[in-house]
PDB file of all heavy atoms in Angstrom:
ATOM      1  N   ALA A  56     121.138 -23.230  93.906  1.00  0.00           N
ATOM      2  CA  ALA A  56     122.134 -23.559  92.874  1.00  0.00           C
ATOM      3  C   ALA A  56     121.466 -24.583  91.927  1.00  0.00           C
ATOM      4  O   ALA A  56     121.570 -24.399  90.691  1.00  0.00           O
ATOM      5  CB  ALA A  56     123.348 -24.203  93.537  1.00  0.00           C
ATOM      6  N   ARG A  57     120.728 -25.556  92.443  1.00  0.00           N
ATOM      7  CA  ARG A  57     120.155 -26.536  91.520  1.00  0.00           C
ATOM      8  C   ARG A  57     119.091 -25.878  90.632  1.00  0.00           C
ATOM      9  O   ARG A  57     118.938 -26.177  89.453  1.00  0.00           O
ATOM     10  CB  ARG A  57     119.472 -27.645  92.367  1.00  0.00           C
ATOM     11  CG  ARG A  57     120.437 -28.579  93.091  1.00  0.00           C
ATOM     12  CD  ARG A  57     119.757 -29.874  93.546  1.00  0.00           C
ATOM     13  NE  ARG A  57     118.680 -29.516  94.487  1.00  0.00           N
ATOM     14  CZ  ARG A  57     118.799 -29.434  95.793  1.00  0.00           C
ATOM     15  NH1 ARG A  57     119.972 -29.613  96.382  1.00  0.00           N
ATOM     16  NH2 ARG A  57     117.760 -29.153  96.598  1.00  0.00           N
ATOM     17  N   GLU A  58     118.348 -24.907  91.170  1.00  0.00           N
ATOM     18  CA  GLU A  58     117.395 -24.209  90.431  1.00  0.00           C
ATOM     19  C   GLU A  58     118.002 -23.357  89.252  1.00  0.00           C
ATOM     20  O   GLU A  58     117.479 -23.371  88.145  1.00  0.00           O
ATOM     21  CB  GLU A  58     116.480 -23.287  91.287  1.00  0.00           C
ATOM     22  CG  GLU A  58     115.249 -22.729  90.619  1.00  0.00           C
ATOM     23  CD  GLU A  58     114.321 -23.745  90.076  1.00  0.00           C
ATOM     24  OE1 GLU A  58     114.002 -24.710  90.810  1.00  0.00           O
ATOM     25  OE2 GLU A  58     113.824 -23.540  88.899  1.00  0.00           O
ATOM     26  N   LEU A  59     119.059 -22.639  89.606  1.00  0.00           N
ATOM     27  CA  LEU A  59     119.794 -21.946  88.609  1.00  0.00           C
ATOM     28  C   LEU A  59     120.315 -22.791  87.423  1.00  0.00           C
ATOM     29  O   LEU A  59     120.195 -22.489  86.219  1.00  0.00           O
ATOM     30  CB  LEU A  59     120.932 -21.153  89.227  1.00  0.00           C
ATOM     31  CG  LEU A  59     120.581 -19.895  90.117  1.00  0.00           C
ATOM     32  CD1 LEU A  59     121.777 -19.522  90.978  1.00  0.00           C
ATOM     33  CD2 LEU A  59     120.058 -18.763  89.239  1.00  0.00           C
ATOM     34  N   PHE A  60     120.873 -23.969  87.878  1.00  0.00           N
ATOM     35  CA  PHE A  60     121.491 -24.786  86.898  1.00  0.00           C
ATOM     36  C   PHE A  60     120.376 -25.448  86.066  1.00  0.00           C
ATOM     37  O   PHE A  60     120.489 -25.658  84.777  1.00  0.00           O
ATOM     38  CB  PHE A  60     122.234 -25.979  87.490  1.00  0.00           C
ATOM     39  CG  PHE A  60     123.403 -25.416  88.437  1.00  0.00           C
ATOM     40  CD1 PHE A  60     123.823 -26.189  89.525  1.00  0.00           C
ATOM     41  CD2 PHE A  60     123.950 -24.202  88.160  1.00  0.00           C
ATOM     42  CE1 PHE A  60     124.861 -25.721  90.343  1.00  0.00           C
ATOM     43  CE2 PHE A  60     124.994 -23.730  88.973  1.00  0.00           C
ATOM     44  CZ  PHE A  60     125.447 -24.471  90.030  1.00  0.00           C
ATOM     45  N   ALA A  61     119.214 -25.802  86.719  1.00  0.00           N
ATOM     46  CA  ALA A  61     118.074 -26.355  85.991  1.00  0.00           C
ATOM     47  C   ALA A  61     117.534 -25.358  84.943  1.00  0.00           C
ATOM     48  O   ALA A  61     116.920 -25.722  83.870  1.00  0.00           O
ATOM     49  CB  ALA A  61     116.893 -26.850  86.903  1.00  0.00           C
ATOM     50  N   SER A  62     117.750 -24.025  85.249  1.00  0.00           N
ATOM     51  CA  SER A  62     117.231 -23.004  84.324  1.00  0.00           C
ATOM     52  C   SER A  62     118.254 -22.724  83.134  1.00  0.00           C
ATOM     53  O   SER A  62     118.103 -21.803  82.387  1.00  0.00           O
ATOM     54  CB  SER A  62     117.075 -21.729  85.108  1.00  0.00           C
ATOM     55  OG  SER A  62     116.102 -21.906  86.087  1.00  0.00           O
ATOM     56  N   GLY A  63     119.297 -23.554  83.133  1.00  0.00           N
ATOM     57  CA  GLY A  63     120.366 -23.387  82.104  1.00  0.00           C
ATOM     58  C   GLY A  63     121.513 -22.539  82.318  1.00  0.00           C
ATOM     59  O   GLY A  63     122.358 -22.311  81.517  1.00  0.00           O
ATOM     60  N   LEU A  64     121.561 -21.991  83.666  1.00  0.00           N
ATOM     61  CA  LEU A  64     122.610 -21.054  84.000  1.00  0.00           C
ATOM     62  C   LEU A  64     123.795 -21.779  84.613  1.00  0.00           C
ATOM     63  O   LEU A  64     124.108 -21.604  85.733  1.00  0.00           O
ATOM     64  CB  LEU A  64     122.066 -20.041  84.954  1.00  0.00           C
ATOM     65  CG  LEU A  64     120.792 -19.236  84.431  1.00  0.00           C
ATOM     66  CD1 LEU A  64     120.351 -18.246  85.443  1.00  0.00           C
ATOM     67  CD2 LEU A  64     120.978 -18.735  83.076  1.00  0.00           C
ATOM     68  N   ARG A  65     124.456 -22.534  83.725  1.00  0.00           N
ATOM     69  CA  ARG A  65     125.613 -23.415  84.212  1.00  0.00           C
ATOM     70  C   ARG A  65     126.939 -22.913  83.781  1.00  0.00           C
ATOM     71  O   ARG A  65     127.900 -23.516  84.149  1.00  0.00           O
ATOM     72  CB  ARG A  65     125.357 -24.814  83.517  1.00  0.00           C
ATOM     73  CG  ARG A  65     124.086 -25.474  83.948  1.00  0.00           C
ATOM     74  CD  ARG A  65     124.016 -26.833  83.371  1.00  0.00           C
ATOM     75  NE  ARG A  65     122.681 -27.477  83.477  1.00  0.00           N
ATOM     76  CZ  ARG A  65     121.759 -27.366  82.560  1.00  0.00           C
ATOM     77  NH1 ARG A  65     121.958 -26.881  81.442  1.00  0.00           N
ATOM     78  NH2 ARG A  65     120.625 -27.983  82.756  1.00  0.00           N
ATOM     79  N   THR A  66     127.023 -21.829  82.990  1.00  0.00           N
ATOM     80  CA  THR A  66     128.276 -21.254  82.487  1.00  0.00           C
ATOM     81  C   THR A  66     128.236 -19.776  82.704  1.00  0.00           C
ATOM     82  O   THR A  66     127.219 -19.199  82.827  1.00  0.00           O
ATOM     83  CB  THR A  66     128.525 -21.603  80.966  1.00  0.00           C
ATOM     84  OG1 THR A  66     127.614 -20.916  80.229  1.00  0.00           O
ATOM     85  CG2 THR A  66     128.449 -23.163  80.724  1.00  0.00           C
ATOM     86  N   PRO A  67     129.480 -19.117  82.706  1.00  0.00           N
ATOM     87  CA  PRO A  67     129.454 -17.665  82.853  1.00  0.00           C
ATOM     88  C   PRO A  67     128.782 -16.989  81.688  1.00  0.00           C
ATOM     89  O   PRO A  67     128.083 -16.004  81.910  1.00  0.00           O
ATOM     90  CB  PRO A  67     130.987 -17.336  82.859  1.00  0.00           C
ATOM     91  CG  PRO A  67     131.607 -18.615  83.259  1.00  0.00           C
ATOM     92  CD  PRO A  67     130.802 -19.705  82.821  1.00  0.00           C
ATOM     93  N   ARG A  68     128.950 -17.503  80.488  1.00  0.00           N
ATOM     94  CA  ARG A  68     128.283 -16.934  79.343  1.00  0.00           C
ATOM     95  C   ARG A  68     126.689 -16.950  79.553  1.00  0.00           C
ATOM     96  O   ARG A  68     126.036 -16.018  79.276  1.00  0.00           O
ATOM     97  CB  ARG A  68     128.592 -17.609  78.038  1.00  0.00           C
ATOM     98  CG  ARG A  68     127.882 -17.154  76.838  1.00  0.00           C
ATOM     99  CD  ARG A  68     127.888 -15.685  76.689  1.00  0.00           C
ATOM    100  NE  ARG A  68     129.213 -15.076  76.596  1.00  0.00           N
ATOM    101  CZ  ARG A  68     129.381 -13.775  76.781  1.00  0.00           C
ATOM    102  NH1 ARG A  68     128.446 -12.899  77.160  1.00  0.00           N
ATOM    103  NH2 ARG A  68     130.694 -13.276  76.637  1.00  0.00           N
ATOM    104  N   ALA A  69     126.215 -18.175  79.923  1.00  0.00           N
ATOM    105  CA  ALA A  69     124.714 -18.321  80.091  1.00  0.00           C
ATOM    106  C   ALA A  69     124.193 -17.385  81.210  1.00  0.00           C
ATOM    107  O   ALA A  69     123.184 -16.706  81.126  1.00  0.00           O
ATOM    108  CB  ALA A  69     124.458 -19.709  80.409  1.00  0.00           C
ATOM    109  N   MET A  70     125.028 -17.216  82.277  1.00  0.00           N
ATOM    110  CA  MET A  70     124.621 -16.476  83.410  1.00  0.00           C
ATOM    111  C   MET A  70     124.627 -14.913  82.972  1.00  0.00           C
ATOM    112  O   MET A  70     123.712 -14.123  83.254  1.00  0.00           O
ATOM    113  CB  MET A  70     125.559 -16.544  84.556  1.00  0.00           C
ATOM    114  CG  MET A  70     125.114 -15.893  85.900  1.00  0.00           C
ATOM    115  SD  MET A  70     123.712 -16.653  86.650  1.00  0.00           S
ATOM    116  CE  MET A  70     124.396 -18.109  87.351  1.00  0.00           C
ATOM    117  N   ALA A  71     125.722 -14.541  82.223  1.00  0.00           N
ATOM    118  CA  ALA A  71     125.779 -13.149  81.819  1.00  0.00           C
ATOM    119  C   ALA A  71     124.666 -12.812  80.774  1.00  0.00           C
ATOM    120  O   ALA A  71     124.216 -11.626  80.761  1.00  0.00           O
ATOM    121  CB  ALA A  71     127.152 -12.883  81.130  1.00  0.00           C
ATOM    122  N   ASP A  72     124.255 -13.763  80.039  1.00  0.00           N
ATOM    123  CA  ASP A  72     123.240 -13.486  78.979  1.00  0.00           C
ATOM    124  C   ASP A  72     121.838 -13.593  79.526  1.00  0.00           C
ATOM    125  O   ASP A  72     120.867 -13.129  78.849  1.00  0.00           O
ATOM    126  CB  ASP A  72     123.394 -14.559  77.856  1.00  0.00           C
ATOM    127  CG  ASP A  72     124.552 -14.288  76.956  1.00  0.00           C
ATOM    128  OD1 ASP A  72     125.164 -13.174  77.019  1.00  0.00           O
ATOM    129  OD2 ASP A  72     124.932 -15.140  76.153  1.00  0.00           O
ATOM    130  N   SER A  73     121.753 -14.083  80.720  1.00  0.00           N
ATOM    131  CA  SER A  73     120.366 -14.154  81.302  1.00  0.00           C
ATOM    132  C   SER A  73     119.999 -12.699  81.830  1.00  0.00           C
ATOM    133  O   SER A  73     120.860 -11.887  82.005  1.00  0.00           O
ATOM    134  CB  SER A  73     120.346 -15.141  82.536  1.00  0.00           C
ATOM    135  OG  SER A  73     121.147 -14.723  83.546  1.00  0.00           O
ATOM    136  N   THR A  74     118.721 -12.471  82.022  1.00  0.00           N
ATOM    137  CA  THR A  74     118.306 -11.169  82.550  1.00  0.00           C
ATOM    138  C   THR A  74     118.335 -11.288  84.121  1.00  0.00           C
ATOM    139  O   THR A  74     118.251 -12.313  84.721  1.00  0.00           O
ATOM    140  CB  THR A  74     116.856 -10.871  82.158  1.00  0.00           C
ATOM    141  OG1 THR A  74     115.927 -11.795  82.766  1.00  0.00           O
ATOM    142  CG2 THR A  74     116.752 -10.868  80.666  1.00  0.00           C
ATOM    143  N   TRP A  75     118.365 -10.098  84.791  1.00  0.00           N
ATOM    144  CA  TRP A  75     118.419 -10.015  86.123  1.00  0.00           C
ATOM    145  C   TRP A  75     117.116 -10.596  86.671  1.00  0.00           C
ATOM    146  O   TRP A  75     117.136 -11.345  87.729  1.00  0.00           O
ATOM    147  CB  TRP A  75     118.453  -8.550  86.615  1.00  0.00           C
ATOM    148  CG  TRP A  75     118.434  -8.267  88.019  1.00  0.00           C
ATOM    149  CD1 TRP A  75     119.379  -8.386  88.951  1.00  0.00           C
ATOM    150  CD2 TRP A  75     117.231  -7.829  88.888  1.00  0.00           C
ATOM    151  NE1 TRP A  75     118.961  -8.004  90.216  1.00  0.00           N
ATOM    152  CE2 TRP A  75     117.539  -7.745  90.125  1.00  0.00           C
ATOM    153  CE3 TRP A  75     115.848  -7.651  88.361  1.00  0.00           C
ATOM    154  CZ2 TRP A  75     116.710  -7.326  91.080  1.00  0.00           C
ATOM    155  CZ3 TRP A  75     115.035  -7.207  89.399  1.00  0.00           C
ATOM    156  CH2 TRP A  75     115.433  -7.028  90.779  1.00  0.00           C
ATOM    157  N   GLN A  76     115.958 -10.453  86.058  1.00  0.00           N
ATOM    158  CA  GLN A  76     114.684 -11.010  86.525  1.00  0.00           C
ATOM    159  C   GLN A  76     114.690 -12.545  86.470  1.00  0.00           C
ATOM    160  O   GLN A  76     114.121 -13.105  87.300  1.00  0.00           O
ATOM    161  CB  GLN A  76     113.572 -10.386  85.664  1.00  0.00           C
ATOM    162  CG  GLN A  76     112.141 -10.696  86.309  1.00  0.00           C
ATOM    163  CD  GLN A  76     111.954 -10.136  87.696  1.00  0.00           C
ATOM    164  OE1 GLN A  76     112.163  -8.976  87.909  1.00  0.00           O
ATOM    165  NE2 GLN A  76     111.647 -10.930  88.658  1.00  0.00           N
ATOM    166  N   GLN A  77     115.345 -13.042  85.424  1.00  0.00           N
ATOM    167  CA  GLN A  77     115.372 -14.526  85.266  1.00  0.00           C
ATOM    168  C   GLN A  77     116.086 -15.088  86.470  1.00  0.00           C
ATOM    169  O   GLN A  77     115.709 -16.098  86.970  1.00  0.00           O
ATOM    170  CB  GLN A  77     116.012 -14.928  83.930  1.00  0.00           C
ATOM    171  CG  GLN A  77     115.201 -14.746  82.739  1.00  0.00           C
ATOM    172  CD  GLN A  77     115.934 -14.959  81.449  1.00  0.00           C
ATOM    173  OE1 GLN A  77     117.165 -14.607  81.287  1.00  0.00           O
ATOM    174  NE2 GLN A  77     115.288 -15.564  80.404  1.00  0.00           N
ATOM    175  N   ARG A  78     117.213 -14.487  86.856  1.00  0.00           N
ATOM    176  CA  ARG A  78     117.985 -14.995  88.010  1.00  0.00           C
ATOM    177  C   ARG A  78     117.190 -14.781  89.312  1.00  0.00           C
ATOM    178  O   ARG A  78     117.144 -15.656  90.108  1.00  0.00           O
ATOM    179  CB  ARG A  78     119.317 -14.120  88.046  1.00  0.00           C
ATOM    180  CG  ARG A  78     120.195 -14.337  86.850  1.00  0.00           C
ATOM    181  CD  ARG A  78     121.552 -13.882  86.984  1.00  0.00           C
ATOM    182  NE  ARG A  78     121.696 -12.448  87.125  1.00  0.00           N
ATOM    183  CZ  ARG A  78     121.827 -11.601  86.111  1.00  0.00           C
ATOM    184  NH1 ARG A  78     121.807 -12.062  84.819  1.00  0.00           N
ATOM    185  NH2 ARG A  78     121.949 -10.274  86.285  1.00  0.00           N
ATOM    186  N   VAL A  79     116.504 -13.620  89.454  1.00  0.00           N
ATOM    187  CA  VAL A  79     115.691 -13.435  90.630  1.00  0.00           C
ATOM    188  C   VAL A  79     114.589 -14.490  90.701  1.00  0.00           C
ATOM    189  O   VAL A  79     114.314 -15.050  91.726  1.00  0.00           O
ATOM    190  CB  VAL A  79     115.085 -12.054  90.613  1.00  0.00           C
ATOM    191  CG1 VAL A  79     113.981 -11.862  91.703  1.00  0.00           C
ATOM    192  CG2 VAL A  79     116.136 -10.897  90.893  1.00  0.00           C
ATOM    193  N   ASP A  80     113.931 -14.724  89.560  1.00  0.00           N
ATOM    194  CA  ASP A  80     112.871 -15.731  89.578  1.00  0.00           C
ATOM    195  C   ASP A  80     113.322 -17.123  89.962  1.00  0.00           C
ATOM    196  O   ASP A  80     112.701 -17.889  90.657  1.00  0.00           O
ATOM    197  CB  ASP A  80     112.209 -15.778  88.190  1.00  0.00           C
ATOM    198  CG  ASP A  80     111.365 -14.549  87.842  1.00  0.00           C
ATOM    199  OD1 ASP A  80     111.109 -13.774  88.856  1.00  0.00           O
ATOM    200  OD2 ASP A  80     111.097 -14.277  86.698  1.00  0.00           O
ATOM    201  N   ALA A  81     114.523 -17.468  89.513  1.00  0.00           N
ATOM    202  CA  ALA A  81     115.099 -18.768  89.784  1.00  0.00           C
ATOM    203  C   ALA A  81     115.393 -18.912  91.294  1.00  0.00           C
ATOM    204  O   ALA A  81     115.085 -19.911  91.822  1.00  0.00           O
ATOM    205  CB  ALA A  81     116.333 -19.080  88.928  1.00  0.00           C
ATOM    206  N   LEU A  82     115.943 -17.896  91.839  1.00  0.00           N
ATOM    207  CA  LEU A  82     116.249 -17.875  93.191  1.00  0.00           C
ATOM    208  C   LEU A  82     115.017 -17.873  94.078  1.00  0.00           C
ATOM    209  O   LEU A  82     114.936 -18.611  95.098  1.00  0.00           O
ATOM    210  CB  LEU A  82     117.112 -16.632  93.589  1.00  0.00           C
ATOM    211  CG  LEU A  82     118.471 -16.509  93.012  1.00  0.00           C
ATOM    212  CD1 LEU A  82     119.087 -15.167  93.223  1.00  0.00           C
ATOM    213  CD2 LEU A  82     119.392 -17.594  93.596  1.00  0.00           C
TER     214      LEU A  82
END
Side-chain angles (χ1 to χ4, degrees):
R57 291 194 302 270
E58 188 62 43
L59 288 164
F60 304 151
S62 300
L64 307 183
R65 303 183 187 92
T66 66
R68 174 51 59 197
M70 189 69 76
D72 287 347
S73 67
T74 67
W75 178 82
Q76 190 61 55
Q77 286 172 324
R78 299 191 292 272
V79 168
D80 290 346
L82 293 170

